[in-house]
């Protein structure tokens, strides 16, 4: 496997001299040298940049123009949002993440998965409602099947047999429904604790809460009124399952970058 | 007969000094396109043995190394006023390995995490360190906060490593090892040299993965990546939108969205795959965004007034977009010219650009690398931070301590099982 250098530097000379050297190249190929044209020099350097076509002459500034364009997001409440971003960052570091660490420490993995599955199954009610509102028939049927399987066979949603049966979870929220009916995103907002949002998605969250109150699926809403610990558990589970960490981008411009990522991700979800 | 034997021995001895070239046919790494491998790294099923995250006993710690910055830096830097690092500890006594991250990367970046899983699975305590060129390190641990002067960066790193050891004094360590990738590999060489003078750790083995050889070449190559010609970009089209459009077409075609590690690999196998130029642009953009961070942070901490006016009031609510835009216009070359060279001239009494390049590149430690058998370099023939002659330099300097892989781009194959095997083998003997 490890060969001395003189064997493995494929001669670009072979290529230059053309068909005469084809047998030699084939021979080299037979003893383990890549026959495909690769302009490696005698050191073995493969000149990766030679594969690229560059803009001739003037700098086209594609990178700069694209990035400036990406910064152009409607954010009239930026000073407030930035303060909220820092508030959330601190809350995350000093309260939420320590709580999540404790939660992970005291619960076995299957319990945590069960909790996540339960709240996901619960969330499928809203997914179904929004899928229907957006007239996505096939998706609505899939989500209905998920709800049925997971609630019945998964014992109230503690297990997730539907995913294993080929029905992956598909999220449709009220923000997406509003977007479907042409509501513009409105100003960018950072919500306390919940993080990046915009006016449309915030409205969606409120509608979602209203739906949960009305439907009272599995009696959860009434139970959560009685036992606030349920709501706490839901929040802990939410933080546990969201991978994002503040400071993860490790950039002084994390705010701007997250703003772009959030906005574009929501647009893509709405198109889907 | 005796002559023949002599000849055989001579050949055997001389081939010992030649670099280990990994043969492309038996190597088996699937991505032969350097841009693809750099972006998608190694497919999951081809990775070497790694610990799963939940099986690792790990924790983040912080060090207060530059307390004065707590007063001189604006409020919105609060999160990086102390330096964070991550320790993964084995249950009993074990050797400890430091990982130095690459350009702009912090201790928790994906490449550093991946190396941690490899070394942890092999039984090492692992300490993950941010690169001296990363935002957090610059603010919290760097004296000059102007990354690029390799010897100075190495001193900062060394100080951090000593502080880490002091803070982790209850960790039962049987020996110290050092590994760095990308720019971190260059730092590893300088740190090792420093350690051989000060004997703080007496590293048993130092492993350099894909180091830049000539800083000027690497900087220019990376700057050039964003100068490629893109077909569908005319007028005001946005490059990011182009990539996102392709991704969303792909998701629509697949019928669902999966944002896992296999995504990029599968995507490049589909008909929506990115062209070489688009991938180069993507890699180049990531580096340029890093440079913008470096240029902004360095300028602000040193109050140079190139991007942020000195004394400009900045708090948690201040809009940073104008400064971000200004910093974005500065590429690697501009950062070096505007911030690194003036500092270097001031500290070392003048000197030309060529002199500085010699001092901050691997050339500065050439003799050290030649003499020191505990250091090895692993590199890829198609790494885009290298230029002509760089591999020749490594061959001459390191001899058989250089392992050259035919593919992998820039750090794309670090988790590949053959690479992992070779790394662990080098650290073991």
């Amino acid at each position: 496997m490890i060969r001395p250098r003189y064997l493995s530097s494929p001669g670009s000379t072979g290529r230059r001299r053309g068909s005469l050297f084809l047998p030699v190249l084939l021979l080299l190929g037979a003893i383990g040298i890549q026959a495909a044209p690769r302009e490696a020099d005698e050191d073995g350097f493969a000149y990766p940049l030679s594969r690229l076509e560059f803009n001739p002459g003037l700098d086209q500034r594609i990178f700069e123009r694209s990035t400036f364009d990406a910064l152009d997001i409607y954010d009239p409440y930026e000073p407030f949002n930035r303060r909220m971003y820092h508030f959330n960052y601190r809350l995350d570091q000093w309260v939420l993440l320590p709580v999540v660490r404790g939660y992970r420490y005291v619960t076995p993995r299957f319990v945590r998965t069960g909790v996540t599955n339960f709240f996901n199954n619960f969330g499928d009610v809203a997914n179904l409602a929004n899928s229907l509102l957006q007239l996505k028939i096939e998706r609505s049927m899939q989500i209905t099947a998920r709800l049925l399987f997971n609630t019945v066979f998964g014992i109230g949603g503690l297990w997730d047999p539907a995913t294993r049966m080929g029905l992956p979870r598909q999220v449709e929220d009220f923000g997406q429904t509003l977007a479907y009916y042409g509501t513009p995103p409105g100003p960018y907002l950072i919500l306390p604790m919940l993080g990046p949002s915009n006016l449309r998605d915030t409205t969606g969250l409120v509608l979602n809460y209203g739906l949960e109150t009305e439907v009272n699926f599995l009696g959860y809403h009434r139970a959560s009124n009685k036992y606030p610990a349920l709501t706490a558990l839901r929040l802990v589970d939410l933080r546990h399952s969201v991978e994002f960490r503040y400071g993860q981008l490790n950039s002084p411009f994390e705010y701007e970058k997250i703003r772009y990522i959030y906005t574009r991700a929501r647009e893509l979800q709405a198109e889907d | 007969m005796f002559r023949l034997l002599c000849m055989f021995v001579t050949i055997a001895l001389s081939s010992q000094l030649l670099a280990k070239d990994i043969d492309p046919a038996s190597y088996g790494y699937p991505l032969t396109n350097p841009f693809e491998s750099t972006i998608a790294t190694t497919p999951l099923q081809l990775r070497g043995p790694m610990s799963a995250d939940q099986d690792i006993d790990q924790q983040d710690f912080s060090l207060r190394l530059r307390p004065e910055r707590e007063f001189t830096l604006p409020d919105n830097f609060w999160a990086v006023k102390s330096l964070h690092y991550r320790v993964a500890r084995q249950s009993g006594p074990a050797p400890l390995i430091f990982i130095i991250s690459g350009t702009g990367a912090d201790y928790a970046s994906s490449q550093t995490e991946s190396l941690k899983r490899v070394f942890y699975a092999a039984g090492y305590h692992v300490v993950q360190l941010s690169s001296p060129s990363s935002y957090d390190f610059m603010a919290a641990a760097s004296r000059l906060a102007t990354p690029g002067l390799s010897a100075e960066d190495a001193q900062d790193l060394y100080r951090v490593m000593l502080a880490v050891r002091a803070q982790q004094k209850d960790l039962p360590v049987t020996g110290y090892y050092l590994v760095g990738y990308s720019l971190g590999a260059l730092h590893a060489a300088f740190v090792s040299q420093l350690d051989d003078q000060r004997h703080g750790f007496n590293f048993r083995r130092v492993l350099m993965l894909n180091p830049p050889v000539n800083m000027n070449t690497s900087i220019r190559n990376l700057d050039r990546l964003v100068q490629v010609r893109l077909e569908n970009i005319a007028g005001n089209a946005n490059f990011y939108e182009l990539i996102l459009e392709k991704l969303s077409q792909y998701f629509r075609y697949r019928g669902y969205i999966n944002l896992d590690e296999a995504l990029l690999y599968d995507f490049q196998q589909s008909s929506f795959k990115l062209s070489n130029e688009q991938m180069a642009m993507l890699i180049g953009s990531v580096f340029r965004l890093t440079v913008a961070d470096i240029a902004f942070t360095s300028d602000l901490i040193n109050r140079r007034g190139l991007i942020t006016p000195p004394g400009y009031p900045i708090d948690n609510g201040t809009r940073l977009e104008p400064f971000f835009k200004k910093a974005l216009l500065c590429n690697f070359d501009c950062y070096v010219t505007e911030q690194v060279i003036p500092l270097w001239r001031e500290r070392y009494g003048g000197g030309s650009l060529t002199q500085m390049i010699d001092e901050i590149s691997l050339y500065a430690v050439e003799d050290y690398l030649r003499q020191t058998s505990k250091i090895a370099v692993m590199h890829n023939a198609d790494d885009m931070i290298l230029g002509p002659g760089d591999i020749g330099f490594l061959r001459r300097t390191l001899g058989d301590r250089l392992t050259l892989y035919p593919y992998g781009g820039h750090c794309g194959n670090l988790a590949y099982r053959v690479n992992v095997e070779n790394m662990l083998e080098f650290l073991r003997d």
Side-chain angles (χ1 to χ4, degrees):
Chain A
M1 193 168 89
I2 291 170
R3 274 169 199 282
R5 183 185 145 202
Y6 56 87
L7 270 184
S8 65
S9 49
S12 46
T13 48
R15 255 166 27 80
R16 248 181 267 135
R17 300 209 191 151
S19 59
L20 254 180
F21 266 74
L22 195 67
V24 179
L25 268 183
L26 284 177
L27 192 74
L28 287 176
I31 55 170
I33 287 153
Q34 194 204 21
R38 189 165 69 102
E39 308 155 37
D41 61 16
E42 54 186 3
D43 289 334
F45 181 55
Y47 292 92
L49 294 197
S50 69
R51 296 170 183 234
L52 300 172
E53 202 183 327
F54 287 93
N55 269 322
L58 287 173
D59 188 350
Q60 303 284 315
R61 298 208 175 268
I62 300 170
F63 165 75
E64 289 88 340
R65 283 189 287 145
S66 303
T67 313
F68 276 31
D69 202 37
L71 284 172
D72 185 21
I73 289 170
Y74 184 48
D75 187 6
Y77 310 118
E78 188 170 340
F80 167 80
N81 282 341
R82 281 184 175 276
R83 289 209 167 80
M84 197 46 88
Y85 163 83
H86 283 286
F87 170 79
N88 284 346
Y89 194 158
R90 288 184 163 102
L91 185 76
D92 205 49
Q93 296 233 305
W94 297 340
V95 183
L96 296 183
L97 289 181
V99 169
V100 167
R101 271 197 291 276
Y103 172 67
R104 285 182 183 166
Y105 185 74
V106 298
T107 53
R109 199 174 308 159
F110 76 92
V111 172
R112 294 197 296 268
T113 317
V115 170
T116 307
N117 285 341
F118 173 79
F119 287 117
N120 279 348
N121 182 54
F122 181 72
D124 265 347
V125 177
N127 291 339
L128 175 61
N130 286 294
S131 205
L132 283 171
L133 285 172
Q134 293 172 53
L135 313 174
K136 291 177 180 165
I137 306 304
E138 196 190 334
R139 186 162 294 183
S140 308
M141 286 180 350
Q142 285 169 354
I143 300 177
T144 312
R146 267 185 67 85
L147 257 173
L148 283 174
F149 286 134
N150 283 347
T151 310
V152 177
F153 301 118
I155 315 182
L158 291 178
W159 282 275
D160 182 8
T163 300
R164 258 176 243 167
M165 291 160 72
L167 291 168
R169 198 167 107 84
Q170 307 184 72
V171 178
E172 294 285 345
D173 55 40
F174 277 99
Q176 278 161 266
T177 304
L178 290 171
Y180 180 82
Y181 289 103
T183 319
Y188 181 73
L189 284 175
I190 298 230
L191 303 177
M193 209 146 119
L194 298 171
S197 187
N198 54 41
L199 191 57
R200 179 182 69 202
D201 294 338
T202 309
T203 317
L205 279 178
V206 176
L207 288 175
N208 190 46
Y209 180 78
L211 178 87
E212 280 179 12
T213 320
E214 282 305 310
V215 173
N216 193 24
F217 181 60
L218 300 175
Y220 169 81
H221 180 73
R222 226 162 287 154
S224 72
N225 277 347
K226 211 163 156 192
Y227 307 101
L230 262 177
T231 309
L233 180 64
R234 190 174 183 183
L235 283 172
V236 172
D237 172 62
L238 185 68
R239 192 65 196 98
H240 157 72
S241 37
V242 174
E243 293 270 334
F244 175 75
R245 294 285 179 275
Y246 284 92
Q248 186 179 340
L249 300 182
N250 196 40
S251 161
F253 307 114
E254 191 171 70
Y255 175 86
E256 286 85 354
K257 291 176 184 175
I258 289 176
R259 184 173 68 184
Y260 176 70
I261 293 168
Y262 177 81
T263 308
R264 286 300 289 142
R266 288 300 288 174
E267 277 171 30
L268 289 179
Q269 279 175 350
E271 281 168 24
D272 174 40
Chain B
M1 184 66 202
F2 178 70
R3 257 200 212 161
L4 204 70
L5 197 73
C6 276
M7 221 166 82
F8 187 75
V9 169
T10 322
I11 290 172
L13 280 179
S14 62
S15 72
Q16 281 257 305
L17 297 171
L18 292 174
K20 290 174 199 146
D21 281 68
I22 305 295
D23 163 32
S26 62
Y27 182 42
Y29 181 74
L31 304 173
T32 54
N33 179 320
F35 308 104
E36 229 166 70
S37 48
T38 304
I39 294 174
T41 70
T42 310
L44 281 180
Q45 64 276 14
L46 297 179
R47 295 190 181 174
M50 291 190 180
S51 301
D53 241 355
Q54 58 264 21
D55 301 331
I56 302 178
D57 176 15
Q58 55 184 339
Q59 204 183 332
D60 289 3
F61 295 89
S62 70
L63 291 169
R64 283 180 71 223
L65 294 164
R66 310 226 66 83
E68 83 282 2
R69 295 258 164 92
E70 284 171 31
F71 305 101
T72 55
L73 283 182
D75 286 351
N76 64 345
F77 275 67
W78 66 270
V80 289
K81 286 180 179 176
S82 56
L83 184 78
H84 295 261
Y85 65 95
R86 188 167 290 172
V87 178
R89 58 167 69 218
Q90 303 283 350
S91 48
L96 182 145
I97 191 163
F98 287 101
I99 306 177
I100 308 175
S101 307
T103 315
D106 69 341
Y107 67 96
S109 67
S110 60
Q111 202 71 262
T112 314
E113 281 283 291
S114 158
L115 285 172
K116 185 256 310 279
R117 291 192 198 108
V118 166
F119 295 124
Y120 192 81
Y124 292 85
H125 299 301
V126 184
V127 173
Q128 298 165 246
L129 300 175
S130 297
S131 164
S133 61
S134 70
Y135 168 57
D136 56 338
F137 194 104
M138 285 171 75
S142 175
R143 287 158 302 137
L144 302 173
T146 311
L149 302 176
S150 306
E152 304 279 356
D153 292 342
Q155 285 196 24
D156 289 335
L157 267 172
Y158 200 67
R159 213 160 296 185
V160 169
M161 287 155 81
L162 290 171
V164 167
R165 187 176 58 184
Q167 199 172 36
Q168 305 294 332
K169 52 185 175 299
D170 55 334
L171 198 66
V173 176
T174 57
Y176 289 96
Y177 294 79
L178 180 61
V179 60
Y181 65 88
S182 186
L183 186 64
L186 179 91
H187 291 139
F190 281 83
V191 168
S192 175
Q193 190 185 29
L194 201 59
D195 184 60
D196 281 356
Q197 293 157 9
R198 302 194 189 166
H199 297 285
F201 296 98
N202 291 315
F203 295 113
R204 296 210 187 139
R205 287 269 186 277
V206 178
L207 181 57
M208 300 162 63
L209 306 167
N210 297 53
V213 174
N214 181 327
M215 284 293 263
N216 200 32
T217 309
S218 304
I219 286 168
R220 283 184 39 191
N221 282 0
L222 291 170
D223 274 345
R224 265 186 89 200
L225 287 180
V226 294
Q227 302 293 350
V228 289
R229 182 207 292 259
L230 298 174
E231 296 132 39
N232 299 325
I233 289 241
N236 289 319
N238 181 330
F239 161 72
Y240 300 115
E241 302 295 318
L242 191 97
I243 304 267
L244 287 173
E245 184 53 36
K246 278 203 166 183
L247 262 180
S248 67
Q249 277 172 357
Y250 169 72
F251 286 140
R252 233 168 285 155
Y253 161 78
R254 286 285 295 260
Y256 58 91
I257 295 179
N258 62 326
L259 289 173
D260 54 17
E261 292 199 72
L263 160 73
L264 288 166
Y265 188 71
D266 294 341
F267 175 66
Q268 277 306 99
Q269 306 299 313
S270 75
S271 59
F272 304 101
K273 70 176 198 161
L274 303 179
S275 69
N276 279 346
E277 280 75 19
Q278 288 166 338
M279 287 189 285
M281 187 78 197
L282 201 60
I283 300 167
S285 301
V286 171
F287 272 99
R288 281 292 299 273
L289 287 168
T290 304
V291 179
D293 292 350
I294 296 175
F296 169 79
T297 312
S298 183
D299 171 74
L300 183 78
I301 294 177
N302 291 296
R303 299 162 194 264
R304 296 197 175 105
L306 296 164
I307 293 167
T308 318
Y312 186 90
I314 295 181
D315 63 17
N316 281 339
T318 312
R319 271 186 84 219
L320 295 182
E321 204 179 295
F323 307 126
F324 190 16
K325 285 186 170 170
K326 221 165 166 182
L328 279 170
L329 294 173
C330 193
N331 61 13
F332 251 118
D333 190 42
C334 146
Y335 163 69
V336 171
T337 317
E338 288 190 345
Q339 309 205 40
V340 182
I341 292 178
L343 177 74
W344 184 72
R345 292 225 164 111
E346 188 189 306
R347 281 179 79 83
Y348 300 101
S352 67
L353 175 66
T354 330
Q355 275 174 305
M356 189 187 83
I357 298 298
D358 276 349
E359 300 240 318
I360 65 176
S361 302
L362 270 193
Y363 308 139
V365 286
E366 183 179 351
D367 290 341
Y368 175 73
L369 289 177
R370 185 168 287 136
Q371 294 155 7
T372 316
S373 59
K374 67 177 177 183
I375 299 187
V377 172
M378 297 188 180
H379 227 306
N380 300 329
D382 61 353
D383 193 325
M384 61 220 61
I385 67 168
L386 295 182
D390 286 352
I391 292 177
F393 170 84
L394 292 173
R395 283 184 194 281
R396 283 196 306 279
T397 313
L398 291 135
D400 65 340
R401 286 176 285 123
L402 167 70
T403 310
L404 190 70
Y405 299 94
Y407 311 116
H410 185 58
C411 296
N413 53 352
L414 293 187
Y416 181 52
R417 53 184 165 72
V418 174
N419 292 56
V420 167
E421 259 167 42
N422 294 352
M423 286 181 213
L424 295 179
E425 194 181 298
F426 167 72
L427 294 177
R428 212 169 9 233
D429 60 348

